[in-house]
Every structure is written in structure tokens, then in C-alpha cells.
Amino acid sequence: MVESQSPVIGDSGPEAAALVASRVLDVPDFPKPGIVFKDLMPLFADGPVFREVIDEIVGYHGAESFDVVAGIEARGFVLAAAIAYATGTGVVPVRKAGKLPRASFSASYALEYGEAVLEVHQDAFTADQRVLVVDDVLATGGTASATLDLVERAGGVVTGFSVLLELGFLAGRERLSPRAVHAMWRV
Ligand code: AMP
């Protein structure tokens, strides 16, 4: 019997979407009942797939389109560091409250499962530095929206935003509009 399956889609095409989909695990009821946590650790742990994903993000935006990569704590750090290394750029961590040692800008926002505060150092970017922002999952878009605002408050210019997985039913993309979203896999 052939079961019907919804098509695997994303902004880098069906093959890239299927590659990401093949390395994501659903964890029901984590961290709260009713939430299906999308665990990307299997993707990070698979060397060839991780490299392909990083190369795709770089190729999508173009290595010349950004000067620095901002990663959102904590899984965004993994992506940001790899992209930065691959392109000879640097990393700026966007951190949860209270972790940064020097003067910071902060933004509070609502999560799919709670409230949170993100911070970035006030001198994290030079004036008009071009910034690629990355995270693992786009859900409601609150995290991304707060981050993009923080980057701009700190003097950066957001030239791209990538995630590995977009939960389309939570309408994060619409919330971020007119900013462009690059999601390798959209469910
Ligand atoms: P949001 O602000 O609602 O777009 O949530 C995005 C942030 O929360 C990202 O940093 C994700 O890592 C995390 N997140 C939210 N929902 C999920 C989920 N269902 N599975 C995995 N991570 C999630």
C-alpha cells in the first residue's frame, strides 16, 4: 500500500528540504505537554549532512553578502560558527538574559512555550556591518523578530535570515514580513 505523504518543501528546493527532514526527530510533549519539539541534534551530529546544510546556507545568501554571522542561543551558535568558519567571517552570539559581561541591548519576547529575554553587546557590530542571522527553528517568530531588532539597535544591517526548519502553521514568516526568511525545510 502506498501512503500519501505531504511534499517536502523549503526555500532551497525539495532535495535540501528532504535532507534536513531526514535528520530531525520529533519529541512529543517537550519541554511542555502539547509541544512537539523538533530535535536537530541528529543533523548536527552527521558530518556530511551538516556540511551540506552549511554550504547551502552560504550558497543561498552568497559568501560576499555578509561580514559577520549572528547566532541565536543555543543551537544557532552551532550553525553560526560553522558558517563563519566556512566564509572567513566572525560570530556574534545573541544570548539569553544575564550571560553577556558588558553593556548590552536587551529585548523580551514571547516564545511558543514561554517568555524570554535576548541580549547582544552594544558594541557587537561596527557601523553598517552586514549581518547574517541564523537559528535552528522558526516557530512564532518572536525570537527572530527580537534578534533582528537587537542587531539593528547595535548598528548592524541584517542582510539575511536562515533557519533549518520553519513551523509554517505558527506564521513566523508572516510576522517577520517584509523581511525575507530562508528556511531549508518548511512544515
Ligand atoms: P519562536 O520565537 O516561537 O519562533 O521560537 C523559536 C525559538 O525557539 C528557536 O530558537 C527554536 O530553537 C525554539 N523553538 C521553538 N519551538 C520549537 C520547537 N517546536 N522545536 C524546537 N525548537 C523550538
Side-chain angles (χ1 to χ4, degrees):
M1 192 179 90
V2 178
E3 291 182 18
S4 68
Q5 289 183 330
S6 45
V8 186
I9 57 169
D11 299 315
S12 287
E15 278 183 28
L19 186 70
V20 173
S22 73
R23 293 294 183 280
V24 177
L25 294 176
D26 280 0
V27 184
D29 299 320
F30 182 88
K32 288 185 176 176
I35 301 289
V36 179
F37 188 85
K38 298 290 191 177
D39 180 14
L40 283 104
M41 299 305 164
L43 187 151
F44 292 157
D46 185 318
V49 172
F50 185 57
R51 175 175 275 178
E52 263 196 65
V53 162
I54 295 301
D55 288 348
E56 174 54 35
I57 294 173
V58 172
Y60 182 89
H61 296 284
E64 304 304 320
S65 72
F66 55 92
D67 307 307
V68 70
V69 189
I72 304 174
E73 186 166 355
R75 292 177 296 273
F77 293 173
V78 177
L79 297 167
I83 293 166
Y85 183 79
T87 55
T89 57
V91 175
V92 170
V94 177
R95 299 219 58 180
K96 292 175 181 162
K99 304 283 187 185
L100 290 172
R102 293 182 292 104
S104 302
F105 293 119
S106 62
S108 60
Y109 63 101
L111 267 182
E112 186 190 0
Y113 42 78
E115 285 269 323
V117 175
L118 285 176
E119 296 184 335
V120 70
H121 273 144
Q122 290 184 8
D123 63 357
F125 307 104
T126 56
D128 296 330
Q129 200 170 20
R130 298 168 308 159
V131 185
L132 173 64
V133 178
V134 291
D135 202 4
D136 61 339
V137 175
L138 174 67
T140 66
T143 304
S145 177
T147 298
L148 300 180
D149 288 349
L150 280 175
V151 168
E152 289 179 346
R153 276 166 68 195
V157 176
V158 176
T159 56
F161 172 61
S162 280
V163 291
L164 301 188
L165 169 57
E166 172 188 358
L167 305 179
F169 55 94
L170 292 172
R173 184 180 291 259
E174 289 72 19
R175 179 171 180 172
L176 294 176
S177 174
R179 296 179 190 272
V181 173
H182 169 233
M184 289 192 60
W185 177 34
R186 182 161 58 251
V187 296

